[in-house]
Structure formats: structure tokens, C-alpha cells
């Protein structure tokens, strides 16, 4: 059974369609998106599906395989319910409905039943939230005749995440989920929203992306993420620029002089991470995927030491996969838990998987969930 099958089975009425959107793994470029910088994620094969049935009233009813109770709200009450908060998981699909109506006020909104099912691990840093947003936004865009393109639907997802759920994230996750291309990553300029699909060629090079989900859950709406964002804003303000995107590595000596130590290290991560994204894209274009390993390792060290968003489980996953033969490895996602990725020869995946399990057991950590991901297609209508 796929997520599409599960969503259709959960729906209490005949579906007019099923839409799905993938999670994403970020190859490199962490915490650069809300600083208007560069990111380089790819959509993964694991998806969230939204099955939709039409209603005769103005009620939006959402239910999912990951929560026991359905949540209902009328279109007329949507603004008030979003403002009141406390919707838990339902804040994501209902937030998308609310945001879509703001972005497309001429849409022909009507009552719908939405059933959600997901294959994307929650809390693993693979953006299960963007997958929900992309699936629901794609569905309502069609059903309500909103006429928005994929970039506009990514904006809808970000509005839902920022303003309805209260997570101060950038637009990377939504763009990756909407615009994913098989065997490619999306090089995204978060200031202009210009994108380019960059071929990865992992399979042809005999390489795989191995994910270690540490099972240490994180939450973007909690304080650590917000504090990092505020530090970045302080750094930009000290330079009198709109965002850290406007600074380069040449500005680091002055940054060290005018900023306190913590703020400087936060700023240094973002500036150097932007450069690493550019260097990764250039290396792929020139030399292929075997050339990017050291950039992944440097990215993890920067997140561990300068941005301080790693945890011991993530560090152990990175260290162990590198020792097992990975070309590069790093934590991926917002940090404070979640997953690490490793670029590794495919033939070494079984041994690396076992090595990580042994290392986690020896450290007294929970047994992680370890699997490979494949760069895959973005949001689509499945049925």
C-alpha cells in the first residue's frame, strides 16, 4: 500500500482526486534560506498524499492516518480558527487552505473532505510538513480553480508554516517539494526564487544517499530555531544590510571585530554555507558527485561548531558513516535532532548501516531508522 492508497482508503466519500508531494533531503545549504541565500535540496521518493472529496456545505474536514480525530472548520470561521491556534497537525492543511485563499482570493472555495497519509518520517529533518503543504496546496489549487503555479503554491506552503503554524522557516522545503526533478537537486536562490535543476548522477556514479534518522525529534516552532534566526538578523543589522545574503567571506574579519562571539559564529556559518552551496553546484557541473564529499563534511562541522544545531546522535552518525567509507556526510534539516545523510558507494551501504547501529547501541542511543533516499519528482496529481 502506498500513501495514495492509504489516503483514498481513509476518505469517507468518493474521491475527486488524489494529489501527493514528497519530503526532501537537503544536500547542502542549511539555515541559509531565511537569510535569502542559496540552498540545494532534492525531493525524495517518500511522499504524503491528500485524497479529496467534495461536500455540499462550506466545511473543510481534515483527517489523517497519523491522528485519531478529524478536525472540521467552516470557510467562514477559517480566519478565526487560524488566529486562535492550537490546531496541532491540522494547522498544516487548514493553514494551507487559509493561505491559498489569501493568495488567490478569486478561487471558487467550497467544502471539502481531505484525507492525508504519509510515508515521510516525522521529525527526521526530511520536511514532512512541506509534503503535507504541497499535497494539500496542489489539491485545493485544482479543486478550487485557484490557478496558481508551483512557485506560488510553494509560497502558500511557507505562509501556512510561518503564519498559521508559527514556525519561522524559509521557503526551501516547499520549493523542493513542489519543484523536484528525478535524479536532480534544486539549486534555489532564496532571494529571487530562481531555480535550476542540477543533475546529480548518483546512480551512474555508483553512489547512494544513506539517511540515518536518529529518532531525536525536533520542532521548528520551538526556541532554538528562532534564536538562530534572530542572531542572523542581528548580524545583518550590524552591517546595515537586508540579510546575510549580502555578505561574503571577505566580510568575516570585520564581522569578528564588530559582533559578539555567538552572533559572529552564527553569521560565519551562514556566509560560509552559502559559499559551500555555490561550490557544490560548481563541483557537480565540472566533476560529478564524487567531488562534493569534503564540502558536505565542512558543512556539518560548521553546523556543529558555529551554528550549534547538531546533537551527539547526529555527530555519531556522520563520524561512523565517514569511517565506513562515505565520501561525505552531514546533518540535514533544521537541527536539534532529525537525520544525517551520507554520500556513500552503494556497495558499502549494508556495512555502513550495521556500523551505525552498532555505534548507536554502544553509546546507549535509540536504534536509528536507516534507509536510502532517491532524488525524485515533486508535487503531482496521482489520480
Amino acid at each position: 500500500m502506498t500513501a495514495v492508497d492509504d489516503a483514498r482508503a481513509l476518505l469517507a466519500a468518493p474521491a475527486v482526486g488524489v494529489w501527493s508531494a514528497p519530503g526532501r533531503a537537503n544536500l547542502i545549504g542549511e539555515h541559509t534560506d531565511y537569510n535569502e541565500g542559496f540552498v540545494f535540496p532534492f525531493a525524495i521518493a517518500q511522499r504524503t498524499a491528500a485524497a479529496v472529496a467534495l461536500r455540499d456545505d462550506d466545511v473543510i474536514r481534515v483527517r489523517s492516518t497519523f491522528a485519531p480525530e478529524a478536525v472540521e472548520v467552516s470557510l467562514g470561521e477559517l480566519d478565526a480558527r487560524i488566529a486562535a491556534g492550537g490546531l496541532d497537525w491540522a494547522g498544516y492543511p487548514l493553514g494551507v487552505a487559509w493561505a491559498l485563499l489569501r493568495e488567490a482570493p478569486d478561487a471558487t472555495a467550497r467544502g471539502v473532505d481531505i484525507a492525508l497519509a504519509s510515508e515521510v518520517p516525522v521529525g527526521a529533518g526530511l520536511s514532512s510538513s512541506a509534503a503535507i503543504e504541497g499535497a494539500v496546496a496542489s489539491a485545493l489549487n485544482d479543486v478550487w480553480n485557484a490557478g496558481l503555479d508551483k512557485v506560488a503554491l510553494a509560497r502558500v506552503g511557507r505562509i501556512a508554516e510561518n503564519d498559521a503554524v508559527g514556525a519561522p522557516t524559509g521557503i526551501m522545503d516547499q520549493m523542493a517539494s513542489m519543484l523536484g526533478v528525478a535524479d536532480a537537486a534544486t539549486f534555489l536562490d532564496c532571494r529571487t526564487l530562481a531555480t535550476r535543476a542540477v543533475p546529480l548522477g548518483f546512480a551512474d556514479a555508483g553512489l547512494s544517499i544513506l539517511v540515518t534518522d536518529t529518532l531525536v525529534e525536533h520542532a521548528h516552532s520551538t526556541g532554538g530555531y528562532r534564536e538562530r534566526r534572530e542572531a542572523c538578523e542581528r548580524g545583518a543589522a550590524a552591517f546595515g544590510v537586508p540579510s546575510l545574503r549580502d555578505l561574503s567571506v571577505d566580510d568575516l574579519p570585520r564581522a569578528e571585530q564588530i559582533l559578539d562571539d555567538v552572533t559572529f559564529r552564527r553569521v560565519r556559518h551562514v556566509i560560509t554555507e552559502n559559499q559551500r552551496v555555490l561550490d557544490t553546484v560548481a563541483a557537480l557541473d565540472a566533476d560529478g558527485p564524487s567531488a562534493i564529499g569534503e564540502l558536505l563534511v565542512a558543512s556539518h562541522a560548521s553546523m556543529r561548531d558555529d551554528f550549534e544545531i547538531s546533537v551527539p546522535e547526529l555527530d555519531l552518525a556522520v563520524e561512523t558513516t565517514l569511517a565506513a567509507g562515505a565520501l561525505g556526510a552531514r546533518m540535514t534539516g533544521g537541527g536539534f535532532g532529525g537525520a544525517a545523510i551520507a554520500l556513500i558507494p552503494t556497495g558499502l551501504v549494508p556495512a555502513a548501516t550495521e556500523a551505525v547501529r552498532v555505534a548507536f547501541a554502544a553509546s546507549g542511543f535509540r536504534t536509528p531508522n536507516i534507509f536510502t533516499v532517491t532524488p525524485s519528482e515533486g508535487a503531482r496529481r496521482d489520480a
Side-chain angles (χ1 to χ4, degrees), residues 60-104:
I60 303 174
R61 183 176 188 267
V62 293
R63 62 184 309 185
S64 75
T65 56
F66 40 86
E69 300 295 332
V71 178
E72 295 185 3
V73 58
S74 70
L75 289 168
E77 298 172 339
L78 192 54
D79 284 349
R81 287 293 300 274
I82 293 296
L87 290 168
D88 195 30
W89 69 270
Y92 292 97
L94 293 177
V96 166
W98 169 78
L100 190 146
L101 292 175
R102 286 178 53 185
E103 295 297 293

Side-chain angles (χ1 to χ4, degrees), residues 118-165:
S118 184
E119 303 158 346
V120 184
V122 175
L126 299 177
S127 202
S128 57
S129 59
I132 293 172
E133 292 154 5
V136 174
S138 298
L140 294 181
N141 188 53
D142 287 354
V143 172
W144 288 354
N145 300 308
L148 300 180
D149 63 22
K150 286 194 171 186
V151 173
L153 292 177
R155 289 195 193 99
V156 164
R158 179 179 62 176
I159 292 168
E161 186 114 4
N162 292 173
D163 299 339
V165 178

Side-chain angles (χ1 to χ4, degrees), residues 94-302:
L94 293 177
V96 166
W98 169 78
L100 190 146
L101 292 175
R102 286 178 53 185
E103 295 297 293
D106 294 329
T108 54
R110 59 175 297 174
V112 288
D113 281 332
I114 303 173
L116 294 167
S118 184
E119 303 158 346
V120 184
V122 175
L126 299 177
S127 202
S128 57
S129 59
I132 293 172
E133 292 154 5
V136 174
S138 298
L140 294 181
N141 188 53
D142 287 354
V143 172
W144 288 354
N145 300 308
L148 300 180
D149 63 22
K150 286 194 171 186
V151 173
L153 292 177
R155 289 195 193 99
V156 164
R158 179 179 62 176
I159 292 168
E161 186 114 4
N162 292 173
D163 299 339
V165 178
T169 59
I171 200 170
M172 172 184 70
D173 296 348
Q174 292 82 9
M175 289 287 282
S177 185
M178 292 303 304
L179 299 174
V181 174
D183 195 33
T186 300
F187 175 45
L188 168 63
D189 180 334
C190 294
R191 171 168 284 172
T192 66
L193 298 188
T195 63
R196 176 164 76 93
V198 179
L200 293 172
F202 291 154
D204 288 345
L207 297 171
S208 294
I209 293 288
L210 184 67
V211 176
T212 300
D213 177 3
T214 65
L215 303 182
V216 179
E217 292 194 13
H218 64 176
H220 283 169
S221 56
T222 55
Y225 190 102
R226 192 179 301 275
E227 289 168 4
R228 298 313 186 275
R229 183 162 186 161
E230 290 170 351
C232 294
E233 292 168 353
R234 288 196 304 273
F239 274 87
V241 296
S243 76
L244 295 182
R245 158 67 177 274
D246 298 293
L247 304 180
S248 73
V249 292
D250 294 335
D251 294 300
L252 287 174
R254 181 165 179 250
E256 191 168 18
Q257 291 179 340
I258 68 173
L259 300 174
D260 65 84
D261 176 65
V262 171
T263 303
F264 167 67
R265 288 187 290 110
R266 306 299 188 246
V267 167
R268 181 168 61 184
H269 164 72
V270 173
I271 290 174
T272 58
E273 187 80 346
N274 272 327
Q275 188 61 52
R276 281 187 288 270
V277 174
L278 298 176
D279 291 346
T280 298
V281 173
L284 282 165
D285 286 339
D287 302 309
S290 297
I292 67 172
E294 290 185 4
L295 291 161
L296 304 183
V297 173
S299 174
H300 183 77
S302 182

